[in-house]
Amino acid sequence: MHEMTLAELARDLADRRFSSEELTRHCLARIERFAGALNCFISVVPQEALAAARAADQRIARGEAGPLTGIPIAHKDIFCTDGIRTTCGSRILDNFIAPYDATVVARLKDAGTVLIGKTNMDEFAMGSSNESSYYGPVKNPWHPAKVPGGSSGGSAAAVAARLVPAATGTDTGGSIRQPAALTGLMGFKPTYGRVSRYGMIAFASSLDQAGALTRSAEDAALMLGAMAGFDPRDSTSAREPVPDYRAALGSGIAGRKIGVPREFFDPGLDNDNAACVQAALNVLEKLGAEVVELRLPHLHLSVPTYYVVAPAECSSNLSRFDGVRFGHRAKDPRNLLDMYKRTRGEGFGAEVKRRIMTGTYVLSTGYYDAYYLQAQKVRQLIAQDFAAAFEKVDVLMGPTTPTPAFDIGAKTGDPVTMYLNDIYTIGAPLAGLPAVSVPCGEVTGLPVGLQIIGRHFAEADLLNFAHVYQRETDWHTHAPAGYVEAAA
Ligand code: GLN
């Protein structure tokens, strides 16, 4: 069963070839067997999952099932789940149990999915390799010494190892697409505002967006269909209607224009990785698409811009973790200030502290104009570059990451080297654009991703490009060795 995609499982559940309870037990057995070594789950909830699976089976029997009814999924541990611990990968929330569900969680629950557990992640989603989690690094199922990418690395490892057919993720500067690329998955970050942020613990509110890690574009369409839509509880949620994403799959791409920004092929890009992206472009060209080279002149400024804007917003968002309202509180404080200081000192890890300090600095009087305001202006220029490109082409394509998965520990000593890993993924969220990563090859046995960026709310078009590509190629069907062959 674990070899099947979400769409195939949904079909067989509807045909009653197996029950949701059987499928859920199968996933739980695989989690029991593999998740420990991968360190991809922070919490697993077998009792709740089996109860939800039995309820889904009844719903299927009553003929009231939707396409996701009875499908086991995992949520990144950034989404609040009523009654189930939500840690955000941080010691400060190690004991936090939310009293409500995030909108994403509630919607996927309404669709009949079975929540099986919460996945490991970089602390507060800050990271590119899933090494900043309080719960330890996640391992890449393709190679245990390699990172799975971050910050949604637990979700990526769980789906890549075929422990669950799909998982949620969040992307602020690449955290869905990057782990998807490094673990051979489809990673989908919708337009800013497409999916509600209510109950999704905030990192950088003007950039954060929820999405999914799946194995195919069709599966991503199914997940997005359930997650997307206006939410009055999120003031930046879009009122745009939600189309039937799956129905939009399969249209031809003849005559469609693909822009390839020259900035995506900079000297930092691994040659073999570049060759895989080029081969993918050739496939799409054969299907009739036209490939056009173009420029995004300010894209090279996206890393410094993001690493001012995101820390600024996080320093403000994370001020709510003060030991009074949520989670960890330092023992025996001498006074209020001592409680604040020690709670935050003990509760946050090094990367989070670094971001809070940088963010506080760039927002302080005297530096605000020089850094924060300047970054906002450059952000505008980057967004304008994308807008100009989309006057000429339908989508933009390039690599998702500069290299395949790197060794655990290789970049933790130098934050700037780590930040540079986000060079190709940060542009889209700065401009609020939707983007996906699709597996497009393997380099030294490790997967690499093709990134596709689209116009605002052109999710259906992006999914279609990915789907058409997946019909022609089989990279997305490759599984890491040792996970598909195994019986349980
Ligand atoms: N790697 C980026 C960062 O560390 C992006 C993380 C994300 O998208 N959540 O901030």
Side-chain angles (χ1 to χ4, degrees):
M1 284 188 260
H2 53 271
E3 291 186 55
M4 297 164 74
T5 63
L6 192 159
E8 289 162 351
L9 291 169
R11 183 200 58 209
D12 283 6
L13 279 172
D15 291 348
R16 317 283 285 272
R17 277 178 216 265
F18 43 77
S19 66
S20 171
E21 186 173 344
E22 285 169 306
L23 176 59
T24 303
R25 283 189 192 280
H26 181 72
C27 291
L28 285 168
R30 285 183 63 78
I31 289 171
E32 173 88 33
R33 176 161 181 194
F34 295 113
L38 292 168
N39 196 25
C40 55
F41 278 90
I42 292 174
S43 308
V44 182
V45 289
Q47 298 315 321
E48 290 86 343
L50 289 169
R54 286 190 280 267
D57 282 329
Q58 285 167 11
R59 195 166 150 184
I60 294 168
R62 288 197 304 270
E64 291 166 7
L68 294 180
T69 307
I71 300 283
I73 60 165
H75 285 303
K76 184 177 183 178
D77 209 17
I78 198 170
F79 292 100
C80 288
T81 41
D82 191 357
I84 297 170
R85 184 166 80 126
T86 301
T87 70
C88 219
S90 182
R91 181 180 179 203
I92 212 160
L93 290 178
D94 185 46
N95 59 0
F96 174 61
I97 296 180
Y100 67 100
D101 280 331
T103 297
V104 161
V105 172
R107 288 198 173 161
L108 283 164
K109 215 183 239 181
D110 289 348
T113 61
V114 171
L115 169 59
I116 225 165
K118 310 280 300 283
T119 57
N120 201 349
M121 55 180 282
D122 276 306
E123 185 177 7
F124 285 100
M126 297 172 197
S128 312
S129 61
N130 218 131
E131 291 171 284
S132 77
S133 170
Y134 172 61
Y135 303 92
V138 175
K139 313 243 162 78
N140 191 324
W142 291 79
H143 194 304
K146 306 278 178 190
V147 302
S151 63
S152 313
S155 289
V159 179
R162 275 65 176 161
L163 309 187
V164 281
T168 53
T170 60
D171 192 310
T172 302
S175 280
I176 290 175
R177 291 162 286 154
Q178 206 179 87
L182 303 192
T183 60
L185 296 178
M186 168 91 195
F188 186 35
K189 179 204 103 70
T191 308
Y192 181 76
R194 175 72 294 184
V195 175
S196 169
R197 288 185 295 111
Y198 178 75
M200 181 176 120
I201 296 171
F203 162 15
S205 306
S206 76
L207 298 155
D208 298 343
Q209 181 59 201
L213 291 119
T214 59
R215 284 169 32 211
S216 70
E218 187 181 19
D219 290 2
L222 286 168
M223 288 289 283
L224 185 65
M227 293 165 74
F230 176 67
D231 179 6
R233 287 175 165 143
D234 170 2
S235 61
T236 58
S237 143
R239 285 181 185 272
E240 211 65 24
V242 179
D244 180 342
Y245 293 111
R246 187 153 61 155
L249 299 178
S251 19
I253 56 163
R256 305 295 307 282
K257 287 210 171 92
I258 299 172
V260 178
R262 211 188 304 165
E263 291 72 14
F264 276 178
F265 291 83
D266 62 356
L269 177 62
D270 174 272
N271 284 337
D272 295 330
N273 203 333
C276 294
V277 172
Q278 189 52 54
L281 291 169
N282 295 346
V283 168
L284 295 165
E285 229 171 0
K286 272 215 193 82
L287 295 171
E290 191 188 329
V291 175
V292 189
E293 190 180 288
L294 47 74
R295 301 293 309 262
L296 295 172
H298 299 94
L299 196 78
H300 67 287
L301 299 172
S302 59
V303 171
T305 304
Y306 172 91
Y307 280 97
V308 170
V309 173
E313 293 186 20
C314 103
S315 70
S316 157
N317 273 325
L318 269 58
S319 64
R320 61 169 65 88
F321 302 104
D322 56 6
V324 177
R325 288 166 289 188
F326 314 93
H328 178 70
R329 176 183 298 166
K331 285 220 167 57
D332 306 321
R334 276 180 284 122
N335 51 42
L336 187 62
L337 199 60
D338 181 51
M339 196 270 285
Y340 286 154
K341 279 188 183 165
R342 285 205 288 118
T343 295
R344 289 166 68 84
E346 293 163 8
F348 291 136
E351 184 58 27
V352 172
K353 286 179 185 161
R354 185 178 295 122
R355 306 269 180 124
I356 292 174
M357 284 191 278
T358 315
T360 308
Y361 178 81
V362 300
L363 289 176
S364 56
T365 322
Y367 295 106
Y368 182 93
D369 289 359
Y371 294 106
Y372 185 69
L373 208 62
Q374 190 69 8
Q376 291 293 19
K377 288 179 185 163
V378 179
R379 181 177 185 177
Q380 216 42 49
L381 293 174
I382 294 168
Q384 283 166 14
D385 282 357
F386 279 108
F390 284 123
E391 281 181 12
K392 294 186 222 123
V393 298
D394 298 300
V395 287
L396 295 170
M397 293 195 194
T400 307
T401 56
T403 64
F406 47 88
D407 285 345
I408 293 175
K411 299 191 183 189
T412 39
D414 178 5
V416 175
T417 310
M418 186 72 90
Y419 299 165
L420 281 170
N421 217 55
D422 304 341
I423 186 127
Y424 308 130
T425 51
I426 271 176
L430 281 173
L433 297 165
V436 302
S437 179
V438 188
C440 71
E442 280 152 27
V443 174
T444 57
L446 295 168
V448 294
L450 166 75
Q451 186 178 201
I452 316 179
I453 304 174
R455 298 189 174 103
H456 290 118
F457 299 104
E459 278 81 13
D461 201 29
L462 279 189
L463 289 168
N464 184 53
F465 269 98
H467 180 71
V468 167
Y469 175 72
Q470 291 183 339
R471 271 199 318 216
E472 295 298 311
T473 56
D474 67 357
W475 297 111
H476 64 292
T477 66
H478 290 199
Y483 292 94
V484 165
E485 304 78 14

